[in-house]
């Protein structure tokens, strides 16, 4: 077989393989639909995408689903605070154990522990609040280009050629259920240090069910996709660099207003501090109409590996 024919066959095989994969959003909705083992005990699985450990956003989202299924729908979650304890094994189901901490007149509190192989790999507290009227104010939408003016991240890294690290290329070109359109596109081509801020528009790649709980879980999933990387921008590094050992250590998320995760949301991120091998980052989500819908904070390991 000629070289051209071999290349054409490989391209055809890759296209066929891509076509046979389940739709990424359908796959995400499937892993968020936890199996109920007992009243407050649930089991979740991970997608088989070849990663050595479970994606942190997946565990946050699944734990949120588990907690929410023990609370009436009239009390949506307003905040969650989580710790990643151990890396999860994608080949092993995760058991989510929900503890009913408090059922008050206005607030409900749940604690969730994620277990694999008899050990806790993750712990999270979630607070739910009965909706009520009150004073309102919110920070406005940053002045950045809209999603229609920007290219998606997959296109950017593919066009970056050899200057894009292979791990970054593999991460952004896989079939994610979330579409990303970065504002600061030089991040994908230039390794020069820059201000510790980053903006990216994101949304689910196809319409989601109407259930608001699904949209909250999808946002929780997406909130861990790019945040830690903001801590390395001032140093001209990324979490994909082989000399950087990175891992999310904790994650906090506050829901402020109703939203749809299948509509464009601007994720504005910055990092006010990094020291001692740890980086702190925070972020806000706005919809296209300028409503502040959620806030995020995270600390992670950004250790420089020794030669």
């Amino acid at each position: 077989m000629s070289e051209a024919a071999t290349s054409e066959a490989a391209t055809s095989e890759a296209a066929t393989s891509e076509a046979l994969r389940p739709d990424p959003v359908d796959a995400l909705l499937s892993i968020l639909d936890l199996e109920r083992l007992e009243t407050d005990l649930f089991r979740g699985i991970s997608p088989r995408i070849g990663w050595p450990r479970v994606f942190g956003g997946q565990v946050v989202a699944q734990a949120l689903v588990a907690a929410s299924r023990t609370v009436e729908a009239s009390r949506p979650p307003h905040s969650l605070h989580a710790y990643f304890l151990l890396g999860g094994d994608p080949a092993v189901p995760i058991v989510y154990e929900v503890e009913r901490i408090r059922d008050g007149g206005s607030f409900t509190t749940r604690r969730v522990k994620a277990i694999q192989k008899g050990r806790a790999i993750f712990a999270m507290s979630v607070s739910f609040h009965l909706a009520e009227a009150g004073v309102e104010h919110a920070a406005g939408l940053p002045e950045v280009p809209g999603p229609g003016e920007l290219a998606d991240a997959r296109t950017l890294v593919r066009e970056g050629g050899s200057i894009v690290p292979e791990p970054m290329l593999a991460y952004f070109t896989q079939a994610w259920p979330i579409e990303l359109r970065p504002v600061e596109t030089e991040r994908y081509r230039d390794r020069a240090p820059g201000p510790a801020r980053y903006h990216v528009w994101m949304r689910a790649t196809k319409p989601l069910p109407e259930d608001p709980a699904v949209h909250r879980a999808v946002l929780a999933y997406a909130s861990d996709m790019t945040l830690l990387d903001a801590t390395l921008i001032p140093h001209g590094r990324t979490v994909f660099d082989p000399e950087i050992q990175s891992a999310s250590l904790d994650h906090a998320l506050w829901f402020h207003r109703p939203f749809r995760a299948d509509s464009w949301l601007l994720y504005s991120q910055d990092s006010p501090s990094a020291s001692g091998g740890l980086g702190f980052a925070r972020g806000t989500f706005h919809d296209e109409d300028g409503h502040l819908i959620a806030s995020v904070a995270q600390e992670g390991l950004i250790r420089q590996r020794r030669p």
Side-chain angles (χ1 to χ4, degrees):
M1 184 181 293
S2 68
E3 183 177 339
T6 302
S7 176
E8 183 178 344
T11 301
S12 175
E13 183 179 348
T16 301
S17 176
E18 181 80 16
L20 291 175
R21 289 178 186 157
D23 177 86
V25 171
D26 291 341
L28 175 58
L29 295 176
S30 176
I31 66 170
L32 293 178
D33 187 16
L34 304 181
E35 177 188 2
R36 193 171 215 137
L37 302 177
E38 247 296 347
T39 303
D40 296 330
L41 204 62
F42 303 85
R43 178 163 54 198
I45 59 172
S46 303
R48 299 299 179 90
I49 55 176
W51 281 23
R53 63 187 183 194
V54 178
F55 170 52
Q58 173 198 317
V59 187
V60 173
Q62 288 181 328
L64 177 60
V65 170
S68 298
R69 289 190 178 177
T70 69
V71 180
E72 58 271 25
S74 61
R75 296 192 179 203
H78 68 92
S79 70
L80 61 84
H81 299 262
Y83 282 93
F84 300 98
L85 307 176
L86 294 170
D89 183 347
V92 178
I94 305 173
V95 173
Y96 294 91
E97 183 181 66
V98 180
E99 184 180 359
R100 298 177 184 240
I101 302 297
R102 179 175 183 263
D103 290 283
S106 299
F107 290 90
T108 298
T109 307
R110 297 290 184 261
R111 183 178 296 142
V112 186
K113 181 166 63 175
I115 303 167
Q116 270 192 334
K117 304 175 184 178
R119 297 192 297 174
I121 65 167
F122 174 87
M124 184 169 86
S125 295
V126 190
S127 182
F128 300 78
H129 178 221
L130 185 65
E132 58 184 273
V135 298
E136 286 220 13
H137 75 271
L141 181 71
E143 293 185 9
V144 299
E149 304 173 56
L150 302 166
D152 67 274
R154 297 179 75 177
T155 300
L156 289 170
V157 296
R158 282 172 173 164
E159 291 178 349
S162 60
I163 64 171
V164 176
E166 182 59 36
M168 179 185 286
L169 188 65
Y171 180 86
F172 282 109
T173 55
Q174 76 170 23
W176 282 100
I178 307 297
E179 181 181 358
L180 305 175
R181 295 196 179 184
V183 174
E184 292 84 5
T185 56
E186 67 277 3
R187 179 75 174 130
Y188 297 86
R189 301 185 179 96
D190 188 358
R191 306 305 299 277
R197 61 175 180 270
Y198 182 69
H199 302 82
V200 57
W201 289 95
M202 56 174 57
R203 67 175 177 181
T205 56
K206 77 174 194 178
L208 298 171
E210 293 300 315
D211 185 358
V214 172
H215 292 261
R216 288 190 291 266
V218 171
L219 181 72
Y221 174 92
S223 66
D224 189 41
M225 290 185 70
T226 60
L227 188 56
L228 185 57
D229 204 37
T231 65
L232 290 164
I233 295 176
H235 312 283
R237 305 287 185 85
T238 78
V239 295
F240 302 100
D241 292 352
E243 67 269 22
I244 298 295
Q245 180 186 359
S246 65
S248 301
L249 298 177
D250 62 13
H251 197 81
L253 173 59
W254 295 264
F255 297 106
H256 305 310
R257 292 170 180 82
F259 63 93
R260 292 192 64 91
D262 51 8
S263 295
W264 285 114
L265 302 173
L266 178 65
Y267 195 8
S268 306
Q269 304 154 61
D270 75 332
S271 175
S273 176
S275 63
L278 303 176
F280 174 70
R282 58 195 177 186
T284 55
F285 282 95
H286 286 83
D287 64 20
E288 278 196 278
D289 293 326
H291 301 117
L292 178 64
I293 57 103
S295 298
V296 190
Q298 183 180 93
E299 187 173 54
L301 178 70
I302 49 170
R303 177 185 293 149
Q304 187 165 347
R305 298 181 190 272
R306 295 179 179 177

